[in-house]
Amino acid sequence: MTLKTELLAPAKNAEQGILALRCGADAVYVGGPRFGARKGAANELADLELLIKEAHLWHARVYVTLNTILFEDELESARKAAWTAFEAGADALIIQDMAFLKMDLPDIPLHASTQAVCDSPEKVAFLAGHGFSRAILARELSLEQIESISNKADIELESFIYGALCVSESGRCYLSQAICGRSGNRGECAQPCRRNWSLIDENGKILVKDRPLLSIKDLDLSDRIESLMNVGVYRYKIEGRLKDADYIKNIVSYLRCRLDALLEALPDTKLRSKGFERETPKFLKTRAKPVFPKTCECRCRVPLIPRCDLSIATRYEFSRTSSGTVKLGFVPNPSKTFNRGHTKYCLDGKCHSISSGVSGGHLGELVGIVNSINGDKACLDNDHGLNPGDGLATPGPFARIEQFPPARDGRNVAKVSQNLSGMAGHDYRHGTMLSGTTIHGTLVNAVNGREVQVQNPAGIIAGSALFRNFDHRWHKELRTAPVERKITISAELDFSNGRAILKLVDEDGCRAEIITDEIYPQPTKPVAFVNTARNALSRLGNSPFILGECHVNPVGFLPLSHLNDLRRRAVEQLIINRIQSHSRQGRRVAGAIPPKLPISRLGYEWNVSNSLAKAFYSRLGATHIEPAFELAPFSGNPTLMTTKLCLKYELGWCPIHNNDEVINSTPVPTSDIYLQNGSITLKCHFDCQECKMRLLLQYSNTTFGSS
């Protein structure tokens, strides 16, 4: 049995979607004109059709996002949008609102968005029973929780493996709606979690001032794909529909290299278990034990970390869901494009810092510490490798360096700490931690040894930590480097009654055959003609193909111009045949007895915003349904967010778990604590048993502060 893996890339637009496919994506997800959870990544029908045509050439898939909640006056438009996506050739719809299940939809698979809160075996079973083909798992799940879901799931499971993380539990954040009037469930999140907040006690005393306290690192599970495979997850998603083309090219290429190296390393032979038994998941009924080479064999040279010795009952062959092989002209490096630092988040249980520290944006790579500053010239403490045109960032004037005891490998561990009371922040490199105020940015004008001349020295002082958030040379190489994705084909040139017949067959078995009208004579030099024909047939240029085997029967002779025309016509026909042969699946049939709801009273966190969704839940046993948060004027102190980010832990105040990454001189507060920005105050409520934090709105005049 062959199990198919899928690398799923974001597409802000058709151009970036095509770039992702050329870099090796097996599928892309993209917004249509409306109803996508990223309003800034909408696409018109013509762009969707262009992207879908390209994807189907590679036998890759395109999933269209219709994953906002719907208001009453949008229901008919949303139904038409679903049909438009289907008619354009989309392979599935990603949805959140259960109103779609009450509509007249086309025969197309439905994927449950992570906004639909796919966080438990019961919820995933509920979605499967109502006709969903795939569940996109909540990002805050641990590997143990994912395995629990997989063991009982009979639908595909998809997991995010790279990109920005929402600090809130999936699908249940109302912070932006409450204080900015822009709903994340409507694709309009203003990202107040990335802004600066102050932490105060109940008397108004400032404990931590102006930090992005709710901003968390970006997810990177690139070295844990095998762990996800082992618990039955074979669809791997990259976040980033608002990211630029540099991010897409770099990250998709990087993860393609990682996944390909893993697939090459996995055996296809059966192996007996060494006494390890556990429940077999319904969907794939397998467990896979990955085996790694020491490093990836392609140009990326990515180190591959062997996993633990986990015995399994059976191994199966793994392969990709799309076609072609990618050849890169550059070395992917995830640290070079936008990130807030990386975390495994909750995959192994939390108990580690996930805060992005001093910055809610891209701070970049630590390149050195400023020893001295003279005008616009800064002298660093090391041979930094900076170049003119590089972008630099430094935290504000309240940052300094402390040298801690050497690490186990003998290196000194540099740490930047706060010389005012407040938060210390974030592990950037080998234990590097920093906190500061405003992030200052500038460009490198010139370099002379360790001396760096900058465009704007504001904010740079002796002791400042300098980060490179734009590597000019590397980005120039990235943007100009070729990326080729090619499908291997075989060619056979033969003759029948003097007419030339060219047959092309690709790696998927798709065929094209062209027969000429002309009748050709026998060649006077058969060997020379064979060589000429093979050379002509191999000239596939910018086509998606590369020639593998080639057989020429030298019983006829074609002039070179005729060979070239024959090859061109056969290639065009093969492209058409590949696109037409792309297989689209239908919608999963809902269970004969659809599963009931686990509860009868649904709060606003169920996001019911229209009559169809209400009717859906009522039919399944809901007796009380609160309207969505976006519809009803809130009163009291509603919970705006539940999160795995615990400020007590991040600040070293957790009574259960020790956090060695934090340096903090502020005593543990004895009263309740609050987050404050301008007129907005959020109470922090801590559930230590579940290791979660809830944010409750205390006061807001809906004007978000600028701090």
Side-chain angles (χ1 to χ4, degrees):
M1 177 181 179
T2 298
L3 303 178
K4 298 285 189 177
T5 63
E6 180 180 271
L7 181 62
L8 178 56
K12 181 179 182 178
N13 50 44
E15 181 181 3
Q16 289 192 16
I18 291 171
L19 176 61
L21 291 165
R22 300 283 173 88
C23 292
D26 297 308
V28 294
Y29 63 104
V30 62
R34 294 180 65 189
F35 307 118
R38 297 292 185 271
K39 194 171 183 179
N43 291 276
E44 297 303 322
L45 177 59
D47 294 318
L48 284 181
E49 291 175 337
L50 179 65
L51 176 58
I52 290 168
K53 181 178 179 181
E54 171 79 16
H56 290 178
L57 168 64
W58 306 106
H59 287 182
R61 300 187 182 279
V62 175
Y63 307 137
V64 174
T65 60
L66 299 175
N67 57 339
T68 64
I69 59 172
L70 306 174
F71 290 160
E72 193 68 27
D73 61 352
E74 297 172 331
L75 294 174
E76 179 58 19
S77 296
R79 186 191 69 82
K80 290 180 179 179
W83 276 95
T84 298
F86 172 73
E87 291 165 354
D91 294 284
L93 304 177
I94 301 174
I95 65 173
Q96 172 189 184
D97 201 314
M98 298 300 138
F100 280 106
L101 302 185
K102 302 289 287 183
M103 296 179 184
D104 171 31
L105 292 183
D107 186 20
I108 187 171
L110 300 180
H111 294 181
S113 169
T114 188
Q115 296 296 107
V117 194
C118 308
D119 64 350
S120 68
E122 294 75 20
K123 184 61 179 289
V124 171
F126 175 84
L127 294 167
H130 288 281
F132 284 88
S133 300
R134 182 183 298 188
I136 305 171
L137 296 172
R139 281 174 265 205
E140 65 271 10
L141 295 176
S142 69
L143 195 64
E144 183 179 2
Q145 290 172 314
I146 294 173
E147 182 177 25
S148 176
I149 292 171
S150 176
N151 282 337
K152 299 178 181 179
D154 62 349
I155 61 173
E156 294 177 351
L157 300 179
E158 176 180 304
S159 176
F160 283 93
I161 62 167
Y162 194 94
L165 288 165
C166 295
V167 64
S168 172
E169 290 185 342
S170 300
R172 292 172 174 167
C173 183
Y174 309 99
L175 184 62
S176 179
Q177 172 65 29
I179 65 180
C180 305
R182 293 171 54 182
S183 168
N185 280 320
R186 298 276 297 161
E188 300 174 331
C189 181
Q191 295 192 323
C193 56
R194 302 294 184 187
R195 305 290 291 276
N196 284 348
W197 294 80
S198 292
L199 194 67
I200 63 174
D201 65 15
E202 62 182 15
N203 297 316
K205 177 184 176 181
I206 296 178
L207 306 174
V208 180
K209 182 175 175 61
D210 291 342
R211 302 287 186 275
L213 295 174
L214 294 176
S215 179
I216 63 176
K217 301 174 190 176
D218 291 356
L219 184 68
D220 182 5
L221 300 181
S222 59
D223 63 351
R224 299 303 301 277
I225 297 174
E226 69 280 6
S227 299
L228 293 169
M229 274 187 176
N230 196 57
V231 296
V233 177
Y234 305 102
R235 309 291 185 259
Y236 313 116
K237 191 169 194 172
I238 304 169
E239 181 278 337
R241 278 198 290 142
L242 295 180
K243 298 294 199 303
D244 61 17
D246 289 351
Y247 174 94
I248 296 298
K249 187 174 184 180
N250 184 32
I251 301 305
V252 175
S253 298
Y254 172 74
L255 291 169
R256 181 74 270 161
C257 290
R258 293 301 301 248
L259 186 53
D260 282 352
L262 175 59
L263 295 177
E264 285 295 322
L266 288 173
D268 59 2
T269 56
K270 292 187 176 181
L271 180 70
R272 293 301 303 169
S273 171
K274 299 177 183 178
F276 188 90
E277 300 294 340
R278 59 179 162 184
E279 184 179 358
T280 302
K282 293 180 180 179
F283 174 49
L284 292 170
K285 302 190 182 300
T286 183
R287 283 292 183 264
K289 177 187 176 183
V291 178
F292 289 94
K294 291 182 179 179
T295 58
C296 177
E297 295 180 357
C298 70
R299 193 183 169 199
C300 76
R301 300 192 294 273
V302 174
L304 297 176
I305 303 172
R307 303 305 306 157
C308 59
D309 183 18
L310 182 62
S311 299
I312 54 158
T314 313
R315 287 179 178 172
Y316 287 90
E317 182 179 355
F318 287 80
S319 67
R320 295 172 51 181
T321 56
S322 64
S323 309
T325 302
V326 177
K327 182 179 179 181
L328 300 177
F330 72 103
V331 180
N333 186 343
S335 67
K336 296 292 187 181
T337 43
F338 188 98
N339 69 85
R340 302 177 179 90
H342 291 117
T343 176
K344 301 292 185 290
Y345 200 25
C346 300
L347 194 71
D348 298 311
K350 199 167 69 68
C351 290
H352 62 275
S353 177
I354 58 175
S355 168
S356 66
V358 68
S359 174
H362 178 48
L363 195 58
E365 307 165 286
L366 178 64
V367 293
I369 308 302
V370 177
N371 281 340
S372 62
I373 180 78
N374 182 14
D376 61 356
K377 296 181 176 66
C379 184
L380 272 64
D381 66 342
N382 67 80
D383 299 323
H384 41 72
L386 292 171
N387 297 291
D390 285 352
L392 297 178
T394 184
F398 302 117
R400 73 169 191 271
I401 296 302
E402 294 183 6
Q403 291 296 331
F404 284 73
R408 292 181 181 179
D409 61 3
R411 296 171 300 186
N412 285 328
V413 180
K415 292 193 176 183
V416 185
S417 67
Q418 172 78 322
N419 64 9
L420 298 179
S421 64
M423 183 184 76
H426 173 57
D427 181 358
Y428 280 98
R429 189 185 69 179
H430 307 319
T432 305
M433 301 181 66
L434 65 88
S435 61
T437 53
T438 304
I439 303 298
H440 299 280
T442 187
L443 293 176
V444 175
N445 282 341
V447 175
N448 182 16
R450 294 188 175 187
E451 185 180 83
V452 181
Q453 183 179 16
V454 298
Q455 193 174 92
N456 179 8
I460 301 177
I461 61 174
S464 292
L466 281 186
F467 293 79
R468 175 165 57 187
N469 58 10
F470 181 78
D471 187 330
H472 175 71
R473 287 188 177 179
W474 188 88
H475 276 79
K476 183 178 180 180
E477 178 188 355
L478 173 74
R479 291 168 182 174
T480 57
V483 175
E484 290 185 341
R485 182 173 184 174
K486 297 290 186 178
I487 299 168
T488 301
I489 62 172
S490 62
E492 180 183 352
L493 179 62
D494 204 347
F495 294 84
S496 177
N497 298 322
R499 290 182 171 85
I501 305 171
L502 178 59
K503 299 177 182 179
L504 302 182
V505 182
D506 67 25
E507 60 192 50
D508 298 308
C510 291
R511 299 172 178 271
E513 181 177 306
I514 300 296
I515 303 176
T516 63
D517 293 328
E518 297 90 343
I519 296 177
Y520 296 98
Q522 291 186 350
T524 57
K525 298 179 179 180
V527 175
F529 173 70
V530 168
N531 293 332
T532 299
R534 285 177 175 171
N535 185 51
L537 295 176
S538 68
R539 294 177 181 175
L540 295 167
N542 293 325
S543 79
F545 306 115
I546 186 170
L547 185 63
E549 294 182 2
C550 181
H551 175 72
V552 177
N553 187 2
V555 297
F557 173 80
L558 278 77
L560 181 59
S561 60
H562 289 216
L563 279 169
N564 290 335
D565 180 66
L566 190 61
R567 180 201 65 230
R568 178 188 56 78
R569 291 163 57 196
V571 165
E572 290 176 352
Q573 187 60 52
L574 185 58
I575 290 174
I576 293 172
N577 292 350
R578 281 193 61 83
I579 294 172
Q580 291 179 346
S581 68
H582 175 76
S583 175
R584 294 171 70 192
Q585 299 173 343
R587 183 175 172 185
R588 176 189 173 114
V589 178
I593 305 177
K596 296 289 185 179
L597 288 166
I599 57 176
S600 60
R601 298 181 63 85
L602 308 186
Y604 62 80
E605 66 274 8
W606 283 76
N607 302 324
V608 180
S609 58
N610 57 72
S611 60
L612 290 185
K614 185 175 181 180
F616 172 79
Y617 287 121
S618 296
R619 183 176 64 88
L620 298 174
T623 58
H624 174 80
I625 302 176
E626 290 184 15
F629 191 87
E630 290 79 1
L631 291 180
F634 51 85
S635 59
N637 307 116
T639 298
L640 301 185
M641 177 192 300
T642 301
T643 173
K644 288 288 189 177
L645 174 74
C646 176
L647 291 180
K648 280 188 175 182
Y649 178 82
E650 297 292 340
L651 299 173
W653 300 339
C654 179
I656 301 174
H657 302 292
N658 184 43
N659 184 358
D660 294 330
E661 299 179 33
V662 168
I663 303 169
N664 177 57
S665 59
T666 303
V668 179
T670 57
S671 66
D672 290 335
I673 57 176
Y674 302 82
L675 286 166
Q676 191 173 70
N677 182 306
S679 62
I680 302 157
T681 302
L682 306 174
K683 182 179 180 180
C684 302
H685 178 272
F686 299 93
D687 183 343
C688 293
Q689 184 175 355
E690 295 292 330
C691 202
K692 295 180 180 181
M693 179 178 74
R694 295 207 314 269
L695 298 183
L696 285 70
L697 183 65
Q698 295 297 110
Y699 177 72
S700 172
N701 65 1
T702 71
T703 301
F704 192 49
S706 59
S707 62

